[in-house]
Amino acid sequence: MKIVFMGTPEFAVPTLEALYNAGHSIDLVISQEDSRRGRGKKLLPTEVKAKAIELGLQVYQPKNVNSEEAIERIKDCEPDFIVVVAYGQIIKKPILEIPKYDIINVHASLLPKYRGAAPIHWSIVNGETETGVTIMQVEEGLDTGDMILKESIKIGKDDDASIIHDKLSELGGKMINTAISGIVDGSLKREKQDDSLSSYASKINRDSGDIDWNKNAQDIKNLIRGFKPWPSAYTKYKDEIMKIHRANAIEKVYEGETGEIVHITDKAIYVKALDSTVEILELQFPGNRKMSVEDYLRGNTMEKGVILKQSN
């Protein structure tokens, strides 16, 4: 099959590799523009671009994929399929009409739940115990197209967003060639989404991880899991931002205010939540590496009775 691939972050790389290893003719890889990242703010290629170059594939990085130039470039490839994985731009009708068979998307949720930009993060924040990958037909709506293939995985009680990201990324790569074969031979039937069951996974930003201690302990643990490694869950200890990377919700109830550090041991810091207690196990202060509470307390102190607050 002749394929145009559209993707940008690391999540899309296993799908690109799976298509390449299956022997498809990937005539063009379209990715977002390079960006400055890291401490040195160096201009770095997207992860998909880097992999495409490694595989010897042609890369195109238009500012606007719906521009006339980009549309003509895609048309020139005469693709059987356009495969989209976390590309990062809305694709409009002129592109939808180009491929011989279809334009399909690898989406990191069990649609129609968690349409939108951050399905992995919000599924964990909301306490879901199951998620998965849906390969769907792309249409002009936001993740509203017909579903072609779905597979699910369990979300473990301590799984964070980075763990689920890697699992779903690999799952998408395993599913893509089955989806293409099933579309071509007609063995896979399209299923319309039930819009009444839909939910929206909005884009996250640095403020998303600001912990509200007036919530239940399990909800706070889910927030910490869902926003690891980025943007990280955080709170304010005195005048400093303290990121929390790992924690448990425990049933013991302490006296005190919500957000209050109510108990400290050699290995954990205990904070009162609305219903019970959050046991902090791993943290990070500005300018320092993340570390276990046990390691942190070897060279630093933490005061019982301090009220942790939201930064905003």
Side-chain angles (χ1 to χ4, degrees):
M1 291 287 148
K2 295 180 67 177
I3 291 174
V4 169
F5 184 85
M6 301 173 66
T8 298
E10 182 65 30
F11 184 84
V13 169
T15 302
L16 176 60
E17 289 181 305
L19 293 166
Y20 178 85
N21 291 334
H24 295 293
S25 176
I26 304 173
D27 295 344
L28 188 64
V29 174
I30 302 176
S31 195
Q32 294 271 48
E33 295 179 299
D34 298 343
S35 61
R36 297 189 182 278
R37 306 193 300 277
R39 288 188 177 181
K41 296 298 180 183
K42 293 181 179 178
L43 187 64
L44 297 173
T46 71
E47 288 86 352
V48 163
K49 178 183 178 179
K51 177 56 66 174
I53 291 172
E54 178 187 320
L55 297 175
L57 303 174
Q58 186 176 4
V59 178
Y60 177 46
Q61 295 175 278
K63 187 176 185 67
N64 176 10
V65 76
N66 298 292
S67 67
E68 289 186 15
E69 177 190 293
I71 291 168
E72 289 305 312
R73 187 78 177 268
I74 297 169
K75 281 182 178 178
D76 288 344
C77 296
E78 298 182 338
D80 295 308
F81 283 91
I82 299 175
V83 176
V84 183
V85 191
Y87 173 59
Q89 291 185 31
I90 297 294
I91 298 166
K92 296 184 178 178
K93 189 174 181 180
I95 296 177
L96 303 182
E97 296 173 340
I98 292 174
K100 176 182 177 181
Y101 285 99
D102 228 331
I103 175 167
I104 56 177
N105 173 255
V106 178
H107 183 75
S109 82
L110 297 174
L111 291 171
K113 295 183 74 172
Y114 299 105
R115 297 170 176 171
I120 294 173
H121 301 84
W122 290 114
S123 64
I124 296 173
V125 170
N126 291 338
E128 301 285 356
T129 58
E130 181 183 56
T131 186
V133 167
T134 304
I135 296 182
M136 54 166 282
Q137 181 184 28
V138 178
E139 62 176 31
E140 290 188 273
L142 179 62
D143 299 327
T144 56
D146 291 351
M147 300 177 292
I148 297 164
L149 187 63
K150 294 169 80 168
E151 288 195 29
S152 64
I153 64 167
K154 297 297 182 184
I155 301 176
K157 63 183 181 64
D158 293 317
D159 285 345
D160 57 44
S162 63
I163 292 171
I164 297 302
H165 169 281
D166 292 351
K167 288 182 178 181
L168 295 185
S169 177
E170 293 298 324
L171 181 59
K174 292 175 182 176
M175 293 168 63
I176 189 62
N177 289 308
T178 300
I180 287 174
S181 297
I183 292 169
V184 173
D185 66 21
S187 60
L188 288 177
K189 304 303 179 186
R190 304 176 193 279
E191 178 186 353
K192 290 202 172 294
Q193 296 188 43
D194 184 344
D195 291 341
S196 69
L197 301 176
S198 70
S199 58
Y200 179 59
S202 60
K203 187 175 181 179
I204 59 174
N205 56 44
R206 293 188 183 278
D207 294 335
S208 301
D210 201 353
I211 297 172
D212 179 0
W213 294 100
N214 291 305
K215 292 188 174 181
N216 292 336
Q218 185 61 51
D219 292 336
I220 294 170
K221 177 183 176 178
N222 292 342
L223 183 84
I224 294 165
R225 293 162 58 220
F227 293 145
K228 182 180 178 181
W230 191 89
S232 297
Y234 60 91
T235 189
K236 186 176 279 189
Y237 174 78
K238 296 185 176 179
D239 293 324
E240 286 193 288
I241 295 296
M242 180 175 77
K243 292 182 178 179
I244 301 174
H245 295 293
R246 187 163 57 92
N248 285 322
I250 63 171
E251 294 182 359
K252 186 170 182 178
V253 178
Y254 289 86
E255 294 296 324
E257 296 182 40
T258 54
E260 182 177 345
I261 296 176
V262 290
H263 184 56
I264 300 172
T265 68
D266 290 342
K267 296 184 178 181
I269 298 163
Y270 296 83
V271 181
K272 182 176 175 60
L274 181 64
D275 63 334
S276 53
T277 306
V278 175
E279 179 188 46
I280 300 173
L281 300 171
E282 189 175 66
L283 51 70
Q284 183 177 13
F285 280 97
N288 294 300
R289 63 179 178 87
K290 67 179 179 181
M291 61 182 73
S292 67
V293 167
E294 183 176 12
D295 287 344
Y296 178 80
L297 291 177
R298 285 195 181 105
N300 301 276
T301 58
M302 188 75 68
E303 291 183 28
K304 182 179 174 182
V306 171
I307 309 296
L308 303 180
K309 299 180 182 294
Q310 287 186 277
S311 64
N312 296 321

